[in-house]
Amino acid sequence: MKMRQLLLSSLLCLISSVGFSAEYKVVNQVEYQAVAKKLLPGDTIILADGVWHDFEIVFKGKGTKDKPITLTAQTKGKVILSGQSNLRLAGEYLVVSGLIFKNGYTPSSAVIAFKYNDQELANHSRVSEVVIDEYSNPDRFESDYWVALYGKHNRFDHSFLRGKRNKGVTIAVRLNTEASQHNHHLIDHNYFGPRPTFGSNGGETLRIGTSHYSLTDSLTRVEHNYFDRCDGEVEIISVKSGKNQISHNVFYQSRGTLTLRHGNGNVIENNVFLGNGVEHTGGIRVINRDQVIRNNYLSGLTGYRFGSGFTVMNGVPDSPINRYHQVVNAVIENNTLINVDNIYLGAGSDSERTSTPKNSSFKNNLIYNQNKASPFTILDDISGIEFSNNLANFKADFSQKALSYTNLDLQQDTNGLLTLANTQVGANLSKILTKTDTGPAWYSKADLAIEFDTGKVISIAPGDGVLAEALAHANSGDIIELAAGEYIAHKILAVNKTISFKAAPNAQVLILPERSSLFEIQNSGSLKLDGVHLSGRLSPDSSGNVLIRTQKWGMYKNYQFVMSNSKVTDLNVNHSFHFFDAGARSFADLISIENSQFRDISGDLLRLNQETDDQGIYNAEYVVINNNQFAQVQGALLDLYRGGTDESTFGPHLEMKNNTLSQVGLGKRNKLKSAVHLHGVQHTLMEYNQFKHSALVKVEHTVGDPKTLIRHNVFSNTARPEVVELIFDQKPTAIFHQNVFK
Ligand code: CA
């Protein structure tokens, strides 16, 4: 086989010398450099199978339509670019395929750039069947793109992009010079795998243009792509240019929306949004002129406000280019909306956004809600939207004739989508895209994330160094089960996998750290504690110990910390002994504490307050504190902080139920002077808690549409909760209901 290939390639080289195409196989960077200089139309350069470390590929050349120049892998999927690698292509009719970028990150501003520099761009070129998997800069706020499209008539297709964790759009179409405008790019058949919640602006999956060039047409087509749990931020796709076409894509359980943020004349058709009831799943948000939204199927979407299943915005009169242009001539027709919780019309109406939608139509749409409740919220004058021939199974409360109320008898089609027979109303989609229609066939789309308690049980009994040893030998997903007795931790336990520490049935387990921390959650780590007693009795006699903390730098993967049925005591050997401290730039998907007891703590319990630069960044998406008892805690139980005015995130969210607090937050070193301090938290539910002789609850609303519900709590010898609006001059919007003050 090898001999034949060798013969074949020498034969091809020979032929090339008399004017035919050559095929060059290279095994190292020096060979690549030598060959890359002499590429002619029709030539192919083949990277040998294996790992190429720190390889910044420059691929330049002038192919022709019939004789492109190709860069590919010896075996597709067997060539791995790792470390500080990237690819820049420039010239005409170039084709790249078969490469994998993983185990590293780009040292430059893009993993794949369709340009060499600002003068030399790629045109008529194609990057196909490439993989960029978890290739994220370890500094979460160091921004880059994974794919940056410049030039014209380029195609990016059948590729796999998963797990971008640092700031920056996954794919950006740039229009920053004339040579990249009216570009007619095609982005198709790609698999966009999970992008975790970023916890700040800059987590979009695809952006076409920027506000600066948004009145320029891009003419980019985005077709047949699968967006699988792209949860980065409120915009999954941000269209910021004109005349793009987004069609036949599937958005599966993705938090956020396809937003027509800037630019006119875009067409959104034949797309499917499947939310399956997942929180913050959204659909389409319409802004600007001449937008067409046709024949889309939206189902099970729970998002609200700008993240709704469907939103038509108000504009700003004579809007600056970066604000909101009025919706004019929007055509919204033949869409099906099934169990979409919210449809907002005139959204964003306020003293600045006063231009209501104009000359627009909403027709032949089918809207069905199982609960028969109207999803519509009308926020301003919508007389500029003409409604006709829409069917719904509920009565519209805003207009008699906007929707025809009927008992919709829907049928499931061969795709599993609901349709109404014998009618021109609603979407009609012949075949919907599946995951397997996208990405390279040779790369697995199986999830990487490992859940708690999915591995084996490792049983241990007290002994010297047993905790560290068990942890070192465990695999991600394993459960370390502790027999009864005392465990002394001589070392800080570094958690860099998904791991559970669990007391054996009915076992009394006491863990005593001897260092300033017991656990450090590191990158790739998630920690679960169940049924254990943690005591600070043997901790060093100095101030500022932290029982559990995250890694201090490079914590770019989201993590979870879950504790239940446990006990934490004696964190008081010196002052300011904290229970949990999130490091700066760390981000928890979930912090949950349930059915546990805390007593005699000289510091704070949950310090989720490290992002003090007020750029809309925060430390935890979901915080759950249920059924616990807290007593004699000098510091605060919780400080959850999200500063700034950016509106690109969903959280933070807090649920706090059925807890008893007794003497919490009254220590003289507690600068917050509160037991619970919430700043910029978007969702708060606080109910059935008892506050006894404790510091107050302080809630500071900033931007967004924060929802705070405080009900059925008993406050004895505790000041009333304080709620303030810091940004908007309005009455606090928090809801208080049936609280008792004694
Ligand atoms: Ca954004």
Side-chain angles (χ1 to χ4, degrees):
M1 176 68 196
K2 225 172 192 165
M3 196 59 181
R4 236 180 77 199
Q5 210 164 44
L6 203 70
L7 279 172
L8 188 69
S9 80
S10 3
L11 189 68
L12 284 170
C13 285
L14 196 71
I15 292 169
S16 101
S17 63
V18 289
F20 290 90
S21 305
E23 192 172 87
Y24 304 99
K25 185 176 154 193
V26 297
V27 299
N28 59 42
Q29 293 191 36
V30 175
E31 281 186 26
Y32 176 87
Q33 256 54 288
V35 170
K37 284 188 198 120
K38 55 181 182 185
L39 295 168
L40 296 170
D43 287 355
T44 297
I45 183 163
I46 296 169
L47 302 185
D49 290 352
V51 177
W52 296 66
H53 198 72
D54 295 347
F55 187 12
E56 296 196 59
I57 308 173
V58 174
F59 181 46
K60 290 205 262 186
K62 279 210 159 74
T64 65
K65 192 170 182 193
D66 299 327
K67 290 186 168 185
I69 303 173
T70 301
L71 167 65
T72 190
Q74 180 186 352
T75 311
K76 282 177 180 170
K78 294 270 168 66
V79 171
I80 301 187
L81 284 312
S82 73
Q84 311 266 292
S85 297
N86 60 21
L87 166 66
R88 283 179 289 168
L89 53 155
E92 307 278 325
Y93 296 101
L94 304 172
V95 177
V96 178
S97 66
L99 311 179
I100 296 178
F101 290 87
K102 68 175 186 184
N103 302 327
Y105 59 96
T106 179
S108 60
S109 59
V111 180
I112 299 175
F114 283 72
K115 68 168 187 180
Y116 174 66
N117 57 29
D118 287 344
Q119 286 71 46
E120 297 177 68
L121 312 181
N123 296 300
H124 298 286
S125 293
R126 178 177 180 191
V127 174
S128 183
E129 290 192 272
V130 299
V131 170
I132 307 177
D133 195 6
E134 298 280 347
Y135 205 62
S136 297
N137 194 303
D139 180 345
R140 292 179 71 233
F141 286 86
E142 190 66 48
S143 181
D144 57 34
Y145 304 129
W146 276 7
V147 180
L149 282 147
Y150 297 86
K152 297 188 187 192
H153 300 282
N154 294 316
R155 182 175 179 198
F156 183 81
D157 66 287
H158 291 88
S159 291
F160 176 109
L161 307 172
R162 169 173 65 187
K164 190 169 198 295
R165 297 171 187 277
N166 63 316
K167 187 175 176 147
V169 183
T170 309
I171 296 191
V173 175
R174 302 301 317 272
L175 276 68
N176 54 325
T177 63
E178 223 174 287
S180 296
Q181 297 166 358
H182 302 96
N183 55 57
H184 298 273
H185 295 323
L186 175 59
I187 298 170
D188 67 291
H189 294 92
N190 298 294
Y191 174 72
F192 293 93
R195 176 157 192 183
T197 305
F198 181 51
S200 167
N201 190 16
E204 303 89 345
T205 294
L206 172 62
R207 193 187 67 211
I208 308 172
T210 53
S211 62
H212 198 77
Y213 304 98
S214 59
L215 296 177
T216 305
D217 292 337
S218 182
L219 296 152
T220 292
R221 284 184 294 145
V222 178
E223 300 173 352
H224 302 283
N225 299 286
Y226 197 93
F227 295 85
D228 187 2
R229 291 161 287 165
C230 293
D231 298 341
E233 61 143 282
V234 292
E235 295 172 305
I236 306 166
I237 297 183
S238 184
V239 175
K240 295 187 169 180
S241 52
K243 293 200 176 149
N244 300 291
Q245 189 156 337
I246 316 250
S247 55
H248 298 284
N249 303 286
V250 171
F251 298 83
Y252 177 79
Q253 291 182 197
S254 291
R255 294 169 179 236
T257 67
L258 192 181
T259 300
L260 298 173
R261 185 64 189 85
H262 298 294
N264 305 316
N266 295 289
V267 176
I268 311 299
E269 62 184 343
N270 306 324
N271 300 287
V272 175
F273 293 77
L274 301 173
N276 293 333
V278 170
E279 203 170 27
H280 300 301
T281 46
I284 301 164
R285 184 158 71 110
V286 184
I287 307 157
N288 308 293
R289 302 177 67 93
D290 307 324
Q291 315 282 30
V292 175
I293 296 94
R294 182 190 291 139
N295 207 48
N296 300 285
Y297 185 93
L298 305 98
S299 158
L301 304 173
T302 63
Y304 68 96
R305 197 167 175 263
F306 294 178
S308 293
F310 197 81
T311 310
V312 178
M313 293 281 294
N314 260 15
V316 175
D318 300 315
S319 174
I321 195 140
N322 64 344
R323 290 299 295 156
Y324 286 83
H325 288 257
Q326 187 178 22
V327 172
V328 181
N329 304 334
V331 174
I332 302 159
E333 62 183 14
N334 285 100
N335 301 289
T336 294
L337 295 93
I338 307 281
N339 296 327
V340 167
D341 287 357
N342 289 292
I343 299 173
Y344 276 41
L345 303 180
S349 170
D350 60 17
S351 57
E352 183 205 16
R353 287 177 290 224
T354 56
S355 297
T356 57
K358 208 169 96 179
N359 293 340
S360 295
S361 64
F362 190 97
K363 62 186 178 201
N364 298 334
N365 297 293
L366 177 67
I367 310 171
Y368 174 91
N369 264 356
Q370 207 161 17
N371 62 11
K372 300 196 171 188
S374 171
F376 284 90
T377 303
I378 311 300
L379 293 138
D380 206 329
D381 173 19
I382 53 159
S383 58
I385 304 176
E386 194 188 324
F387 288 81
S388 62
N389 202 31
N390 301 293
L391 297 180
N393 73 328
F394 52 86
K395 285 182 181 153
D397 40 13
F398 60 96
S399 156
Q400 293 283 315
K401 55 185 182 41
L403 313 168
S404 301
Y405 167 63
T406 141
N407 190 16
L408 295 171
D409 183 22
L410 302 178
Q411 259 103 55
Q412 217 166 38
D413 69 8
T414 49
N415 294 308
L417 306 185
L418 295 172
T419 59
L420 189 61
N422 306 317
T423 166
Q424 299 302 307
V425 176
N428 182 5
L429 291 150
S430 49
K431 183 188 177 298
I432 72 162
L433 188 82
T434 63
K435 261 197 232 188
T436 48
D437 299 327
T438 62
W442 40 262
Y443 199 80
S444 165
K445 297 183 181 77
D447 275 356
L448 293 180
I450 293 169
E451 311 281 321
F452 283 121
D453 304 342
T454 52
K456 63 183 181 299
V457 175
I458 300 170
S459 297
I460 59 168
D464 189 45
V466 286
L467 294 173
E469 197 186 333
L471 180 56
H473 289 108
N475 291 318
S476 222
D478 286 353
I479 304 162
I480 297 174
E481 193 178 81
L482 291 77
E486 283 190 14
Y487 295 78
I488 294 173
H490 308 296
K491 295 195 265 194
I492 297 174
L493 301 169
V495 177
N496 57 9
K497 53 193 94 171
T498 299
I499 199 78
S500 299
F501 285 88
K502 188 176 181 192
N506 304 314
Q508 302 275 330
V509 171
L510 176 64
I511 303 179
L512 298 152
E514 285 189 337
R515 301 299 310 277
S516 63
S517 284
L518 173 57
F519 291 107
E520 178 179 275
I521 300 175
Q522 300 186 339
N523 213 29
S524 301
S526 277
L527 175 64
K528 182 174 170 182
L529 301 173
D530 188 0
V532 295
H533 177 186
L534 313 177
S535 163
R537 227 169 55 211
L538 303 183
S539 298
D541 184 6
S542 56
S543 62
N545 292 333
V546 178
L547 195 67
I548 302 171
R549 59 176 165 81
T550 66
Q551 185 179 325
K552 287 177 180 167
W553 188 86
M555 185 70 187
Y556 66 95
K557 290 189 177 169
N558 296 4
Y559 69 96
Q560 297 190 17
F561 170 60
V562 173
M563 182 166 112
S564 54
N565 311 312
S566 294
K567 211 174 174 205
V568 177
T569 63
D570 310 303
L571 305 189
N572 57 2
V573 63
N574 203 313
H575 74 79
S576 307
F577 195 152
H578 307 303
F579 169 64
F580 188 95
D581 199 353
R585 303 313 192 222
S586 71
F587 190 77
D589 283 329
L590 172 68
I591 290 183
S592 166
I593 297 178
E594 297 190 293
N595 304 314
S596 295
Q597 296 172 38
F598 293 77
R599 192 164 20 85
D600 300 323
I601 319 273
S602 66
D604 303 323
L605 292 183
L606 294 174
R607 292 159 61 87
L608 309 174
N609 56 359
Q610 305 296 304
E611 310 301 352
T612 51
D613 43 7
D614 289 349
Q615 296 197 41
I617 307 168
Y618 52 104
N619 291 125
E621 186 69 9
Y622 287 92
V623 178
V624 176
I625 304 172
N626 291 341
N627 309 315
N628 304 291
Q629 293 170 31
F630 304 98
Q632 284 87 48
V633 178
Q634 302 287 306
L637 162 52
L638 171 64
D639 187 13
L640 184 52
Y641 188 93
R642 180 203 186 281
T645 56
D646 181 81
E647 294 186 53
S648 308
T649 66
F650 304 113
H653 306 72
L654 169 66
E655 180 181 293
M656 183 174 166
K657 294 186 196 177
N658 296 312
N659 300 284
T660 303
L661 290 74
S662 172
Q663 298 187 51
V664 173
L666 297 173
K668 64 179 192 303
R669 291 180 197 273
N670 180 11
K671 292 196 192 94
L672 296 167
K673 302 288 171 216
S674 48
V676 175
H677 175 236
L678 308 177
H679 180 99
V681 175
Q682 295 295 301
H683 300 251
T684 300
L685 172 61
M686 192 178 279
E687 62 180 10
Y688 299 105
N689 300 291
Q690 293 197 44
F691 294 79
K692 299 175 186 170
H693 195 75
S694 290
L696 79 174
V697 171
K698 264 190 203 167
V699 181
E700 292 155 0
H701 282 174
T702 57
V703 291
D705 184 12
K707 297 194 180 314
T708 301
L709 177 55
I710 299 178
R711 64 181 178 192
H712 304 293
N713 301 287
V714 178
F715 297 90
S716 26
N717 293 319
T718 300
R720 285 171 182 252
E722 218 176 77
V723 184
V724 291
E725 300 287 329
L726 293 184
I727 307 281
F728 300 115
D729 186 16
Q730 63 183 16
K731 269 196 178 160
T733 57
I735 297 170
F736 286 85
H737 185 66
Q738 297 204 342
N739 296 292
V740 176
F741 301 93
K742 335 194 248 202

